[in-house]
Amino acid sequence: MTTPEPATPAAPTAAATPFAPRRRSLLIGGASTATLAALGATAAATPAAAADGPAVTFDFDNGNFIRDLITTRADGVFPPEGAIGPMDATIFVWLTSTLQISWFDALAPYHPTAVGIHCRIPRRPAAESATNRNKNIAGLHAGYQVAKALFEEREPVMRQALIAVGLNPDDDSEDLTTAVGIGNTAGKAAVAARAHDGMNHLGDIGRRYPSAPYDDYTGYQPVNSPYALTNPSRWQPAMHPHRRRVGGGPGDKGIWVIQRFVTPQARLVKPYTFTDPGQFTLPAPDHTTHTNARAYKRATDEILKASATLTDERKLLAEWFDNKLAGITQAPTAAALAHDLDLDGWAHLFAAVSVARFDDLIAAWHWKVKYDAVRPFTAVRHVYGRGKVTAWAGPGAGTASDVPADEWKSYLPVGDHAEYPSGSTTLCAAEAQAARRYLGDDVLDWTVDFPAGSGQTEPGQVPARDLTLTWPTWSDFNRDCADSRVWGGVHFQTTVDRSLKWGAQFGDRAHDFIQRHITGDAGA
């Protein structure tokens, strides 16, 4: 039986949707329905108007909810402060993976062979897959169930979005003969699978009350303190003025904050494609072992050289890839557009890269905790003490030759976890390899325009003029992603070079895993 439609659609017009970095996302933006009305500019049914604004035009039969509603955004090239709520990359990857796997599972019953990852919903008659209508409805409801349970910052926006396109977010049906019921079931199954997977989303592991979502329950303690360096090879918590992340305003004046290792429990989260993260061996960080003074100094000098030779382009690249929502998570959108994928293709590609990022980060955190490696700011102070170094001297100050080493600052905020491996670099490598395997080539074809002054660390100054960054291939994307961590002053060159090679294996594993589910060979 065919799912009841929101309304009878008008004749469709051209459905091409260019990659538009400044359009608003239903997932990440703070959009009102008035703003949302600019989305999905194809002919569509005329849904019931939302309570606080006009209805959104979206073609359920020919449109693509991921492309047309989810992956677009607004407010300039960088997402606005608080667009998804402040969170670490581990939590962001955990959430987005859960969301995107729910899409895969919601569309699987309408595919000729696919089976779900977190649930096995019976296949629907082929007639129900003749258009995208049921897939769009199921995917949007699945995403809403995930947002409602795990992504509370975005739930109001997603709720508003469903209303705006004529769907009822309060329809909690699990009738598997309807697209709404299929979407709700897929979303709830994804939530259930991740509720007690080790990430401690509920904050109830090892404590009775009050809950502390995503709190560490492993007992990690740093060897060094912000005030004393006991072991120059190990991670040292940084101390800095209270502030928001890059792009935010100043914090409370006179208040200083000491870092805490973020989500060390991420290494214990249940992955999709393996059981033991320790099986993915990674050489010890011998380049930052202080007993090898020559290698330690060489790695430190590479950081200072990168700091002293920053260009506007390198500064933007550092910020772009540091913002996981902008520089990493949006790359598959560009690839999907470049390859003109259909809705199933979008869902399958996003599932593959999500699994790759998810499993990669679990294994990366295993080694981060095990090696507990020093960050560059500590190494610079250890090697040069109070001596003068040549480096970037701070916002608006350019490069100076008399920067006190113990006052040196990286261009990016210091990561609140150990340095080795580079999490960002491994994420780029993992998703790139998953995309290559799924798409069958290295083509990315991604271009992003940055207006003058749109930089985050030096707003109004960087870049000095409009600047365009282009990644023709995933290989180009990977190289810039890796090197940007060195330019930003938060990772050593040897670290990112090793991380780039190490992370790719998770893309291969994710591709194979998703292909088994697409072909229906995944087992029970």
Side-chain angles (χ1 to χ4, degrees):
M1 107 180 238
T2 303
T3 304
E5 302 176 356
T8 302
T13 59
T17 304
F19 182 45
R22 293 182 181 83
R23 293 174 66 192
R24 177 81 68 172
S25 163
L26 302 191
L27 173 62
I28 64 173
S32 66
T33 51
T35 304
L36 297 179
L39 291 175
T42 58
T46 303
D52 60 346
V56 171
T57 302
F58 176 66
D59 184 352
F60 279 86
D61 288 312
N62 300 288
N64 175 334
F65 78 97
I66 305 174
R67 179 194 65 201
D68 303 338
L69 300 178
I70 300 294
T71 61
T72 52
R73 61 179 172 79
D75 301 311
V77 287
F78 287 97
E81 175 75 10
I84 58 170
M87 64 182 72
D88 183 69
T90 53
I91 299 172
F92 179 64
V93 167
W94 184 84
L95 287 168
T96 54
S97 173
T98 306
L99 175 74
Q100 292 170 3
I101 293 300
S102 81
W103 299 341
F104 182 94
D105 286 5
L107 271 59
Y110 299 106
H111 189 273
T113 59
V115 295
I117 295 169
H118 292 312
C119 60
R120 297 296 170 86
I121 299 171
R123 201 165 312 285
R124 299 303 301 156
E128 295 185 18
S129 307
T131 73
N132 284 347
R133 175 167 293 272
N134 290 303
K135 298 175 186 178
N136 280 316
I137 294 171
L140 285 167
H141 273 275
Y144 180 66
Q145 291 297 331
V146 173
K148 184 167 65 172
L150 304 180
F151 217 164
E152 58 272 15
E153 298 92 341
R154 290 298 90 202
E155 187 276 336
V157 174
M158 290 291 286
R159 175 182 180 82
Q160 201 176 70
L162 263 64
I163 294 172
V165 297
L167 300 179
N168 178 10
D170 295 322
D171 186 345
D172 211 34
S173 167
E174 295 182 30
D175 180 353
L176 297 183
T177 66
T178 70
V180 172
I182 287 171
N184 287 336
T185 299
K188 291 176 182 178
V191 169
R194 290 295 158 194
H196 297 95
D197 69 348
M199 188 54 121
N200 199 22
H201 163 71
L202 298 174
D204 58 356
I205 299 179
R207 60 189 302 139
R208 190 171 179 184
Y209 40 69
S211 64
Y214 303 109
D215 191 22
D216 173 34
Y217 54 85
T218 68
Y220 171 86
Q221 299 224 358
V223 169
N224 300 305
S225 81
Y227 304 100
L229 186 64
T230 302
N231 186 335
S233 301
R234 302 284 290 277
W235 181 65
Q236 180 182 32
M239 181 167 57
H240 55 77
H242 181 254
R243 64 167 186 264
R244 297 184 182 182
R245 296 284 295 176
V246 169
D252 298 323
K253 294 180 179 179
I255 303 298
W256 290 72
V257 178
I258 292 174
Q259 290 180 329
R260 182 185 182 195
F261 198 123
V262 68
T263 61
Q265 74 274 14
R267 71 191 192 278
L268 305 178
V269 171
K270 182 180 179 181
Y272 288 102
T273 68
F274 58 85
T275 55
D276 177 14
Q279 74 187 73
F280 306 104
T281 56
L282 185 66
D286 48 0
H287 55 297
T288 56
T289 301
H290 72 282
T291 53
N292 185 345
R294 180 175 297 179
Y296 193 100
K297 183 177 184 299
R298 181 167 58 247
T300 302
D301 287 343
E302 288 172 344
I303 285 289
L304 290 173
K305 181 179 179 181
S307 177
T309 56
L310 284 172
T311 63
D312 280 7
E313 181 174 340
R314 289 182 174 187
K315 290 174 179 179
L316 280 179
L317 283 165
E319 294 176 340
W320 185 245
F321 285 104
D322 193 53
N323 188 313
K324 307 305 180 286
L325 174 57
I328 297 178
T329 311
Q330 289 194 94
T333 295
L337 290 168
H339 291 81
D340 195 25
L341 299 183
D342 61 13
L343 177 54
D344 283 330
W346 278 72
H348 297 169
L349 173 63
F350 273 60
V353 297
S354 284
V355 169
R357 292 190 300 245
F358 189 91
D359 281 5
D360 164 82
L361 216 57
I362 293 169
W365 247 247
H366 169 86
W367 293 109
K368 278 185 179 288
V369 173
K370 181 176 177 62
Y371 288 131
D372 199 37
V374 62
R375 285 277 179 176
F377 85 93
T378 300
V380 168
R381 296 177 185 185
H382 174 67
V383 170
Y384 289 102
R386 296 182 179 179
K388 301 295 192 295
V389 298
T390 300
W392 177 69
T399 298
S401 59
D402 59 347
V403 178
D406 60 352
E407 296 178 10
W408 176 79
K409 301 289 185 183
S410 53
Y411 195 77
L412 295 175
V414 179
D416 45 6
H417 44 79
E419 189 268 347
Y420 185 82
S422 164
S424 295
T425 305
T426 65
L427 286 173
C428 289
E431 82 166 5
Q433 184 63 6
R436 288 191 194 101
R437 291 287 306 280
Y438 180 79
L439 298 168
D441 59 42
D442 195 32
V443 174
L444 176 56
D445 192 20
W446 192 17
T447 297
V448 181
D449 296 320
F450 293 82
S454 60
Q456 306 292 282
T457 303
E458 298 175 283
Q461 302 177 55
V462 174
R465 57 185 61 86
D466 294 354
L467 191 151
T468 297
L469 298 179
T470 302
W471 300 277
T473 67
W474 284 103
S475 296
D476 298 317
F477 167 86
N478 273 351
R479 191 66 259 169
D480 276 351
C481 177
D483 290 341
S484 75
R485 308 307 286 164
V486 181
W487 299 330
V490 292
H491 284 289
F492 298 99
Q493 188 68 54
T494 299
T495 293
V496 300
D497 290 344
R498 291 180 183 175
S499 299
L500 200 55
K501 295 178 181 178
W502 185 81
Q505 62 190 312
F506 300 98
D508 287 321
R509 299 182 72 90
H511 171 75
D512 294 343
F513 175 82
I514 291 298
Q515 282 301 313
R516 290 195 298 271
H517 285 82
I518 292 173
T519 60
D521 296 328

